[in-house]
Amino acid sequence: MFYESTRNSNLSVTSAEAIKMGIAPDGGLFVPHSRVSISQQTLADMVDMSYTGRAEKVLSLFLTDFTGIEIKECVEGAYNEEKFASAEVAPLHKLDNGTYILELYHGPTCAFKDFALQILPHFMPRAAAKTGDTDEIVILVATSGDTGKAALEGFRDVPGTKIIVFYPENGVSVVQKLQMTTQQGNNVAVVAVEGNFDDAQSGVKDIFTDPAMKNLLRDRHYKFSSANSINWGRLAPQIVYYFSAYLDMVKSGDLNMGRPLNFVVPTGNFGNILAGFYAKTMGLPVNRLICASNENNVLTDFIRTGEYNRKRQFHKTLSPSMDILISSNLERLLYELTDHDADTILKWMAQLSETGVYTVDSGIRQKINELFWSDFADDTETLATIKDTFENHKYLIDTHTAVGKNVYDKYVRTTGDNTPTVIASTASPFKFNKSVVRALLGEEALKGKDEFELLNILSRTSGLEIPSGLRDLDKKTVLHNTRATKVEMPRVVKEVLNIA
Ligand SMILES: *Cc1c(COP(=O)(O)O)cnc(C)c1O
């Protein structure tokens, strides 16, 4: 299986090269050259497999230049009981007849990004070795909160790699900051940048593109790479849990093999839901993919009208991981739906960067409407949905998942579709404890409480244990207290790598 770029269909690289590079040299995203399918027999064989067995099967279809042993090592290094609090890895919770919640938050950082960022670090050194590269890989991350911690946990102590995370000193929550500054591991560094997220991000970009830095690294046998969400090595692992959810329902007898299922996905960068699209193209019986947005509803408008328009007000919402106006992974969907027409993608992406708007033609729009449905929920609806779900189903969900649940209720009211449906739960309610407590107990309950008291209040109210990754954070030792201005970031990198 070879990979091409969404902006150049003549490019042809192996999966190892695609993972090592992250993004194509022309700025496009890597996609499989041809359609990958899974036979009904293989699907049937997977019913009795564990999550790791299913992951090996699905990933081996995409990473054909990795050996079976290598894939097994990667999968077992990522999805084990030391890392995931649930033995099932991605358990399904039955909310009521026909509605299920896929809990994707039992990883070390309590959000679904662990599914990709626990395994990418295992792919990365193997991908480098396979492409004849013996350099040590240095991952640079600029984070607004969640990705940094997930990447740190994933890359910690992985041989052949180092990771340096830059976060905006005053741009992350107390819990997020402590999650990062107490990070253990012999190959990790965490740096507070004096400035906002844009400063951290442009600082990292400057380091990546500085020729002098590149030469220095090469001489010292280091190579930069990125753990960005557009890396194919982050997307492929997400395809697995769509299969796993389906197979679990078949296994429990709640679904007959071959019958269709809907998936609802709280969406930001379009990575998670795109993995669901690939699962469907492989032959998984998926009816509709329901794209749930918050008030930054650029995708809802796009799916309904065919016009992508990012020229709109940016809203800071209670589901911050979905506060995005440019959904990078959408480019892959458009490439697939235009039957790999790179010229058309180039045209649309140029229009997006020049004017902020592009419109797809009616044929593509129709295909999108057959596959997807979309709506959005604002913050008031999000809070009400958390409260409702807790009172009516005795089940606690976070703000992102609540957006999904609210949009699903709208879908059922609008379409009357009663196909069994799985809602992806992308974060633990404890990760967004402040909003969840507010939803359950009201604004008053927050007065004078810090985030750690709120964790305890949420635990008492729900009867659930605080996840170990968030517990006792205020008692852990702070191991990282390096600060830097944007200008000092290259010097910090050299110091960390001992090449100053
Ligand atoms: C990243 C994230 C999302 C959005 O996922 P995309 O793949 O960017 O669409 C949703 N919820 C949570 C909790 C996240 O961390």
Side-chain angles (χ1 to χ4, degrees):
M1 163 67 61
F2 287 93
Y3 288 77
E4 58 198 50
S5 161
T6 50
R7 300 186 190 182
N8 175 8
S9 23
N10 296 321
L11 191 78
S12 181
V13 304
T14 61
S15 72
E17 286 168 309
I19 290 170
K20 190 179 82 176
M21 287 194 263
I23 186 161
D26 55 26
L29 311 191
F30 289 114
V31 293
H33 172 70
S34 45
R35 177 173 294 205
V36 172
S37 16
I38 204 156
S39 70
Q40 289 310 303
Q41 185 55 50
T42 307
L43 212 51
D45 292 344
M46 286 163 73
V47 171
D48 288 320
M49 289 184 188
S50 64
Y51 190 86
T52 50
R54 293 167 179 171
E56 281 176 47
K57 266 272 179 281
V58 172
L59 290 170
S60 65
L61 298 172
F62 287 100
L63 312 185
T64 48
D65 48 329
F66 283 64
T67 66
I69 307 263
E70 286 172 326
I71 290 181
K72 192 180 171 71
E73 285 167 358
C74 292
V75 163
E76 288 177 355
Y79 309 120
N80 56 55
E81 283 186 39
E82 201 184 308
K83 308 279 190 181
F84 280 75
S86 163
E88 295 158 278
V89 183
L92 260 186
H93 174 89
K94 188 170 187 168
L95 201 62
D96 61 26
N97 263 340
T99 313
Y100 301 76
I101 306 272
L102 178 60
E103 296 180 350
L104 298 174
Y105 56 75
H106 295 289
T109 76
C110 304
F112 92 97
K113 289 186 175 63
D114 287 329
F115 279 85
L117 282 166
Q118 279 298 318
I119 198 163
L120 181 69
H122 294 279
F123 290 154
M124 200 66 98
R126 288 172 176 83
K130 235 173 238 306
T131 52
D133 218 323
T134 50
D135 291 353
E136 184 156 0
I137 294 170
V138 181
I139 304 286
L140 296 185
V141 180
T143 182
S144 56
D146 286 346
T147 301
K149 177 61 185 178
L152 284 165
E153 267 307 318
F155 279 93
R156 79 186 260 194
D157 297 329
V158 171
T161 71
K162 282 198 165 41
I163 174 164
I164 309 174
V165 169
F166 296 93
Y167 71 91
E169 185 162 43
N170 298 313
V172 300
S173 75
V174 178
V175 165
Q176 284 175 324
K177 186 171 188 160
L178 278 171
Q179 274 191 308
M180 291 188 278
T181 57
T182 59
Q183 178 67 46
Q184 296 183 322
N186 59 29
N187 61 341
V188 305
V190 178
V191 183
V193 177
E194 296 169 30
N196 59 27
F197 173 63
D198 288 333
D199 295 316
Q201 185 161 46
S202 63
V204 164
K205 269 203 185 129
D206 291 348
I207 296 172
F208 266 125
T209 50
D210 174 18
M213 183 68 107
K214 206 170 173 177
N215 288 338
L216 178 62
L217 251 77
R218 194 192 49 219
D219 294 346
R220 303 300 187 95
H221 304 291
Y222 283 118
K223 179 168 280 152
F224 285 135
S225 188
S226 137
N228 198 286
S229 79
I230 52 187
N231 192 317
W232 181 258
R234 275 189 64 173
L235 198 95
Q238 296 176 355
I239 299 172
V240 176
Y241 49 70
Y242 288 90
F243 279 91
S244 191
Y246 189 95
L247 296 164
D248 278 348
M249 285 184 60
V250 172
K251 192 173 181 171
S252 69
D254 285 20
L255 189 72
N256 289 328
M257 183 63 108
R259 300 296 302 159
L261 199 56
N262 293 324
F263 283 96
V264 182
V265 188
T267 302
N269 214 6
F270 209 76
N272 195 353
I273 196 166
L274 183 74
F277 165 79
Y278 276 108
K280 181 175 163 86
T281 61
M282 291 169 72
L284 189 73
V286 176
N287 177 41
R288 275 293 176 81
L289 290 162
I290 298 160
C291 173
S293 298
N294 65 23
E295 256 188 293
N296 296 296
N297 55 357
V298 59
L299 285 169
T300 301
D301 289 345
F302 173 68
I303 287 170
R304 290 184 177 180
T305 67
E307 182 192 76
Y308 195 98
N309 187 342
R310 72 171 165 92
K311 289 187 297 177
R312 58 181 71 212
Q313 204 195 330
F314 177 81
H315 298 276
K316 269 178 87 91
T317 73
L318 299 179
S319 42
S321 305
M322 294 156 62
D323 290 347
I324 286 176
L325 290 181
I326 299 188
S327 301
S328 325
N329 267 302
L330 189 62
E331 183 171 337
R332 283 191 168 112
L333 177 75
L334 297 174
Y335 188 72
E336 297 293 358
L337 296 185
T338 56
D339 296 322
H340 296 202
D341 181 354
D343 290 338
T344 299
I345 303 304
L346 269 170
K347 181 183 77 186
W348 288 336
M349 292 306 130
Q351 287 170 350
L352 180 65
S353 72
E354 282 154 26
T355 68
V357 188
Y358 64 86
T359 306
V360 300
D361 50 62
S362 64
I364 301 297
R365 199 184 135 191
Q366 199 182 333
K367 284 191 202 171
I368 290 173
N369 285 327
E370 283 162 16
L371 293 160
F372 296 91
W373 192 90
S374 184
D375 207 336
F376 74 101
D378 64 22
D379 281 350
T380 309
E381 292 173 312
T382 301
L383 293 172
T385 304
I386 293 172
K387 192 174 165 74
D388 271 8
T389 306
F390 188 66
E391 286 175 356
N392 297 330
H393 301 285
K394 302 274 167 287
Y395 187 73
L396 196 62
I397 54 178
D398 93 297
T399 48
H400 303 77
T401 310
V403 169
K405 170 75 167 70
N406 183 276
V407 167
Y408 176 58
D409 293 341
K410 288 172 181 157
Y411 172 77
V412 174
R413 280 202 300 275
T414 310
T415 63
D417 180 18
N418 61 6
T419 304
T421 297
V422 170
I423 302 171
S425 179
T426 51
S428 158
F430 287 94
K431 189 148 199 181
F432 297 93
N433 55 69
K434 194 169 171 181
S435 301
V436 177
V437 170
R438 181 175 152 197
L440 298 182
L441 304 175
E443 192 79 49
E444 280 299 300
L446 305 179
K447 285 232 172 85
K449 305 282 194 316
D450 67 24
E451 291 199 38
F452 301 101
E453 289 169 279
L454 292 174
L455 279 175
N456 286 316
I457 291 173
L458 191 56
S459 176
R460 281 199 302 275
T461 310
S462 65
L464 297 169
E465 249 184 69
I466 303 172
S468 66
L470 301 174
R471 210 183 300 148
D472 299 332
L473 258 184
D474 49 337
K475 299 185 190 75
K476 287 190 178 153
T477 315
V478 170
L479 301 168
H480 307 274
N481 47 26
T482 307
R483 294 176 66 212
T485 61
K486 187 184 151 187
V487 184
E488 291 166 339
M489 285 169 59
R491 199 200 70 216
V492 171
V493 169
K494 289 182 205 165
E495 281 169 9
V496 169
L497 300 178
N498 211 2
I499 56 173

